[in-house]
């Protein structure tokens, strides 16, 4: 690991916090996308069932 | 599969490209390459930020915090510009994709503005000796965060998303006119209360060995922003379709269907 | 022109008839001003130093909480839709309503300021500057309140969103308003007064267009 000098904890916290926030945003975006996709699939199947009836 | 929405269908290529149904089609092929590109850009950017660049002769290693702080600050303003452009698209052309773009961008803007403040505070502690300085730049960024949060609150307050888009667009334009005034007033206020004791970024020119990782990280963050924005837009288009299907289902369940 | 005058008089009459609103506004303004000394303690020199800030925050809060009165009633009883189709442009109607809002909120606040001045230990020159600052700044506050009111008029639960939206935008008014009552050794206070006047003029001139746009969207 490289030497970060006397203020390494600030640098680590800045990068760590940013990484955490960005990863959380990515995770949330993916989960939201998948959930919506699944929900849409259910609804479209229901509509198809309604229309063939 | 794709349900046709009622839009004014001019036969231009742009309109066809931006049609919600077609958008889902072509944007699918962009998500994975964009994700790959931003991963590579982050790998290069992080390498340059930690191993490929020297410590600053004045700030030492704390200069490395700049490589996350500046991209976040850049995105906080870029995102507002994007929302401004989308707001004009909403008001002038009433394009549904402009509505979707506005809505998808607001939380991202809030996120990156918050990150800019967070990293700025952490950078400020070793360089200025304080987490928070009421200086013009930081204070206007804080106000920008409040504006983003207000816009999100406004989105959430509406049930009718079509009306919400146009109202939020009006407010986004109002905010765009006001942000320079706020910046000016905050700068005036700061010089009034604290005469020139603050560290200034625009003093010395930035050395090229610092500029390279800075540009690489800015590119990486921008790619990530575009990726997240695109995926969120796709989700939002789907959410609108979910909503209309749910309404249709409710109507069918009641037997009130024509 | 005649129609505009009719709207002006109608709004003025309606506003004055609901005397309770006026009382609430003044009570709010004075209560905020009185709460601060309780929070800080009866330290007269400190209070006198903080007086400009207290007066401005109180005025800001009092005016913000009156946003419902601008367009809400007209939206609910359908007058707003009639205004859309009126011979007078909607922008002019908004301007008229803005003027009435200032008469019904800005002026009463200025009238109540001497009372706060006594409580907060302001001297006569300070009171004069406070009144002048309020005279220059309250039109801009009214304009911002009109903006947030027009944006949130279609919302049933718009009551809390409006202040949240508009508070960040009123920051320049607060800065220049309080700055105008501050130290004038380097001409900063007079400079603030000029900025405040410019801000008021610009926001009163531009608000009718933005607010009318928002009202049109809300009325669709």
């Amino acid at each position: 690991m490289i030497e970060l000098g006397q203020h390494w904890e600030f640098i680590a916290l800045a990068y760590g916090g940013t990484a955490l926030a960005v990863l959380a945003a990515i995770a949330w975006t993916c989960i939201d996308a998948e959930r919506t996709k699944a929900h849409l699939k259910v609804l479209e199947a229901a509509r198809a069932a309604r229309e063939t009836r | 599969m794709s349900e046709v929405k009622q839009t004014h269908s001019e036969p231009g290529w742009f309109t066809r490209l931006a049609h919600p149904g077609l958008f889902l089609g072509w944007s699918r092929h962009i998500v994975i390459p964009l994700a790959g590109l931003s991963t590579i850009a982050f790998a290069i950017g992080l390498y340059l930020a930690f191993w490929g660049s020297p410590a600053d002769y004045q700030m030492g290693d704390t200069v490395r915090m700049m490589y996350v702080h500046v991209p976040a600050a850049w995105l906080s303003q870029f995102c507002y510009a994007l929302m401004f452009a989308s707001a004009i698209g909403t008001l002038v052309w009433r394009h549904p994709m402009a509505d979707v773009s506005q809505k998808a961008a607001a939380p991202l803007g809030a996120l990156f503005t918050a990150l800019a403040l967070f990293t700025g505070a952490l950078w400020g502690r070793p360089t200025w000796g304080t987490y928070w300085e009421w200086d013009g730049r930081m204070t206007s960024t804080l106000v920008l965060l409040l504006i983003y949060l207000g816009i999100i609150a406004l989105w959430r307050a509406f049930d009718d998303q079509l009306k919400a888009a146009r109202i939020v667009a009006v407010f986004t334009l109002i905010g765009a006119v006001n942000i320079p005034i706020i910046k000016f007033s905050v700068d005036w206020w700061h010089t009034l209360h604290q005469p020139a004791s603050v560290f200034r970024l625009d003093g010395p020119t930035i050395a090229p060995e610092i500029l390279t990782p800075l540009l690489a990280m800015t590119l990486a963050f921008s790619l990530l922003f575009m990726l997240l924005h695109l995926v969120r837009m796709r989700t939002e288009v789907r959410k609108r379709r979910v909503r209309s299907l749910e309404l249709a289902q409710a109507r069918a369940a009641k037997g009130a269907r024509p | 022109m005649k129609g505009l005058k009719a709207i002006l008089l109608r709004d003025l009459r309606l506003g004055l008839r609901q005397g309770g609103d006026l009382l609430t506004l003044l009570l709010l303004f004075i209560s905020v001003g009185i709460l601060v000394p309780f929070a800080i303690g009866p330290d007269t020199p400190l209070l006198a130093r903080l007086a400009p800030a207290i007066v401005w925050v109180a005025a800001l809060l009092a005016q913000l909480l009156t946003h419902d009165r601008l367009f809400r009633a007209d939206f609910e009883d359908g007058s707003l839709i009639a205004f859309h189709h009126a011979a007078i442009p909607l922008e002019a109607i908004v301007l008229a309503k803005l003027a009435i809002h200032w008469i019904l909120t800005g002026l009463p606040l200025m009238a109540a300021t001497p009372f706060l001045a006594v409580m907060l230990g302001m001297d006569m020159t300070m009171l004069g500057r406070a009144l002048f600052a309020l005279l220059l700044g309250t039109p801009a506050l009214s304009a911002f309140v009109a903006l947030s009111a027009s944006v949130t008029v279609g919302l049933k639960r718009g009551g809390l969103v409006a202040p949240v939206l508009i508070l960040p935008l009123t920051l320049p008014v607060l800065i220049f308003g309080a700055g105008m009552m501050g130290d004038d050794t380097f001409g900063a206070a007079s400079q603030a007064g000029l900025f405040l006047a410019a801000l008021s003029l610009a926001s009163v001139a531009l608000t009718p267009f933005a607010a009318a746009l928002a009202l049109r969207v809300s009325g669709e």
Side-chain angles (χ1 to χ4, degrees), chain B residues 51-104:
Chain B
W51 293 277
S53 68
D56 188 65
Y57 72 97
Q58 251 181 336
M59 290 186 274
D61 278 301
T62 50
V63 75
R64 300 192 201 283
M65 272 190 264
M66 193 165 84
Y67 308 139
V68 281
H69 173 68
V70 172
W74 143 252
L75 281 182
S76 73
Q77 293 178 12
F78 173 75
C79 183
Y80 205 91
L82 182 73
M83 278 163 58
F84 178 74
S86 306
I88 289 176
T90 293
L91 287 176
V92 178
W93 294 286
R94 300 198 167 186
H95 202 290
M97 287 318 291
D99 302 6
V100 167
S101 160
Q102 270 194 85
K103 191 175 184 187

Side-chain angles (χ1 to χ4, degrees), chain A residues 1-7 9-11 13-18 21-22 25-26 28-30 32-37 39-40 42-44 46-47 50-51, chain B residues 1 3 46 49-51 61-62 64-65 67-68 111-112 115 118-119 122 125-126 131 217 221 224 228 231-232 235 238-239 241-242 245-246 248-249 252 257:
Chain A
M1 198 57 203
I2 55 160
E3 199 58 50
L4 284 177
Q6 51 174 335
H7 297 299
E9 55 276 79
F10 292 102
I11 302 170
L13 200 56
Y15 276 86
T18 305
V22 165
I26 293 172
W28 181 53
T29 305
C30 289
D32 199 27
E34 290 306 316
R35 213 176 39 196
T36 311
K37 231 186 271 182
H39 195 180
L40 187 63
V42 172
L43 282 169
E44 275 179 347
R47 186 182 63 167
R50 258 204 323 276
E51 275 168 6
Chain B
M1 145 116 189
E3 195 186 33
L46 284 172
F50 282 105
W51 293 277
D61 278 301
T62 50
R64 300 192 201 283
M65 272 190 264
Y67 308 139
V68 281
L111 170 74
F112 285 108
L115 278 180
F118 171 70
T119 52
L122 284 174
R125 185 71 181 87
Y131 286 107
M217 284 299 267
F221 269 91
L224 175 74
L228 286 176
V231 175
R232 288 182 55 83
T235 308
R238 288 208 174 92
K239 274 189 178 160
R241 201 179 287 166
V242 161
L245 282 176
E246 272 175 345
Q249 200 174 34
R257 216 170 170 206

